[in-house]
């Protein structure tokens, strides 16, 4: 099921910009998911914009800045049409380039924003996220510095990623937060307990990353250790390897059933479920599925026009509670690890 009509729009919370109801995760174009084709990735960016996708998500940590550099020409060509989202907090230790450490301190935030602005070659970042939380730095302090960046014109709106409800409330008291980015999918629903209600109360949008379970919900691979290249990040995630992968593949059965009834793909049903959480929880939900292929963008955006019935939602309801394995080997860096 693919269509060419443009997608609807939504506002990124009460304070943020209006964007398409689906964004595009750009990480895989230069990082984490094995080899990519630059020409095809550029075509994907253009096709997404044609279809009404205006929120483009990157981070300074994706390929140590390479993802921001890659996206810069596209952003410059369409500056008035796109909403640029990037992130700071995952720093590279000089003595160990393969590692990442979390930094939320004021000097680092200022260093990071200047580096991102230079790589992106823009005057302001539309949505600037704290990528991960350093619990040793008060969140009020970090958001205070981020608020200064807004006043200085270096960032237009602020976001947080993988924060708890309490952290979101504390941050929002310092400066309005436009969006919270967290993993949210048929396989990952921990944020529904506390983070989603807090976001709704505060007028903050939810931006789900990995809404397709990093491709597993789309059936693009069955076992990370068997089907993916050695440099693929998903081989490090417990739920996609070994016996966990086998058990989790069996959970896709109702998605297959619903996809068949709609003449749709697995990915479209998984995405339609995420998109429909905006109505279920009464707050803006703008998922950012990642892809490097124009045809996938067409498929993903068409999912915004699929309406799941109450019966179909009920069929999908038990899946998350049966998933084997955590979404990361170390969950302390997620909101679920701190709630």
């Amino acid at each position: 099921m693919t269509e060419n009509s443009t997608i609807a729009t939504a506002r990124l919370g009460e304070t943020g910009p209006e964007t398409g109801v689906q964004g595009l995760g750009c990480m895989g174009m230069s990082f984490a998911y094995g080899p990519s084709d630059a020409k095809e990735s550029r075509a994907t960016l253009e096709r997404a914009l044609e279809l009404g996708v205006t929120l483009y998500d990157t981070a300074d940590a994706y390929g140590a800045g390479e993802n921001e550099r890659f996206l810069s020409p596209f952003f410059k060509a369409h500056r008035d049409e796109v909403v640029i989202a990037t992130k700071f907090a995952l720093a590279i230790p000089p003595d160990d380039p393969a590692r990442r450490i979390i930094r939320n301190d004021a000097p680092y935030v200022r260093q990071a924003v200047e580096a991102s602005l230079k790589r992106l070659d823009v005057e302001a970042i539309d949505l600037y996220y704290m990528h991960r939380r350093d619990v040793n730095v008060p969140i009020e302090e970090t958001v205070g510095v981020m608020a200064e960046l807004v006043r200085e014109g270096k960032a237009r709106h602020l976001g947080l990623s993988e924060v708890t409800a309490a952290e979101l409330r504390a941050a929002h008291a310092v400066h309005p937060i436009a969006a919270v980015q967290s993993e949210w999918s048929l396989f990952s629903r921990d944020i529904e307990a506390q983070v989603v209600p807090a976001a709704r109360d505060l007028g903050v949008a939810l931006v789900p990353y990995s809404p397709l379970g990093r491709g597993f919900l789309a059936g693009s691979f069955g076992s990370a250790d068997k089907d993916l290249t050695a440099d693929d990040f998903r081989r490090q995630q417990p739920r996609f390897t070994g016996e966990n992968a086998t058990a989790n593949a069996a959970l896709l059965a109702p998605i297959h059933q619903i996809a068949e009834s709609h003449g749709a793909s697995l990915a479209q049903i998984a995405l339609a479920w995420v998109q429909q959480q905006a109505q279920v929880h009464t707050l803006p939900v703008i998922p950012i599925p990642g892809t490097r292929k124009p045809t996938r963008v067409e498929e993903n955006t068409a999912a915004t026009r699929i309406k799941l019935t109450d019966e179909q939602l009920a069929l999908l309801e038990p899946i998350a509670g049966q998933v084997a394995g955590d979404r990361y080997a170390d969950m302390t860096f997620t909101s679920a690890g701190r709630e």
Side-chain angles (χ1 to χ4, degrees), residues 118-233:
K118 185 176 181 180
R119 285 188 294 263
L120 292 164
D121 196 15
V122 295
E123 292 184 359
I125 294 160
D126 298 315
L127 179 58
Y128 199 41
Y129 285 105
M130 182 187 79
H131 202 163
R132 289 293 185 271
R133 169 96 170 94
D134 178 359
V135 295
N136 298 308
V137 179
I139 197 162
E140 295 87 351
E141 181 181 317
T142 305
V143 177
V145 182
M146 295 170 72
E148 289 174 8
L149 301 180
V150 175
R151 289 192 287 273
E152 294 163 13
K154 294 174 181 176
R156 293 186 174 131
H157 306 280
L158 302 183
L160 304 170
S161 180
E162 288 288 357
V163 290
T164 66
E167 290 163 352
L168 171 58
R169 291 184 187 279
H172 196 76
V174 175
H175 187 278
I177 301 299
V180 167
Q181 184 175 134
S182 284
E183 186 163 356
W184 198 5
S185 73
L186 283 167
F187 266 21
S188 300
R189 297 181 58 181
D190 47 77
I191 65 167
E192 292 174 30
Q194 297 189 51
V195 178
V196 170
R200 181 180 58 234
D201 291 348
L202 297 170
V204 177
L206 249 297
V207 177
Y209 72 82
S210 300
L212 296 175
R214 301 191 184 274
F216 193 87
L217 286 164
S220 60
F221 70 100
S223 172
D225 37 12
K226 294 176 183 176
D227 301 336
L228 303 178
T229 55
D231 58 346
D232 196 300
F233 164 72

Side-chain angles (χ1 to χ4, degrees), residues 23-103:
L24 181 64
C26 301
M27 178 177 77
M29 293 180 179
S30 51
F31 176 70
Y33 291 156
S36 63
D37 182 313
K39 184 178 180 182
E40 189 167 48
S41 291
R42 283 192 288 270
T44 301
L45 295 167
E46 297 286 352
R47 185 66 180 126
L49 189 59
E50 289 173 356
L51 292 167
V53 174
T54 54
L55 177 64
Y56 294 81
D57 186 88
T58 182
D60 59 2
Y62 299 162
E66 282 306 312
N67 199 238
E68 290 178 327
R69 290 189 192 95
F70 174 78
L71 293 168
S72 176
F74 170 74
F75 290 156
K76 288 197 73 172
H78 301 285
R79 188 64 191 98
D80 295 337
E81 302 167 81
V82 300
V83 174
I84 301 171
T86 193
K87 315 178 196 74
F88 73 88
L90 298 180
I92 302 172
D95 57 339
D96 188 358
R99 276 185 65 228
R100 295 289 185 274
I101 56 173
I102 300 176
R103 288 188 61 180

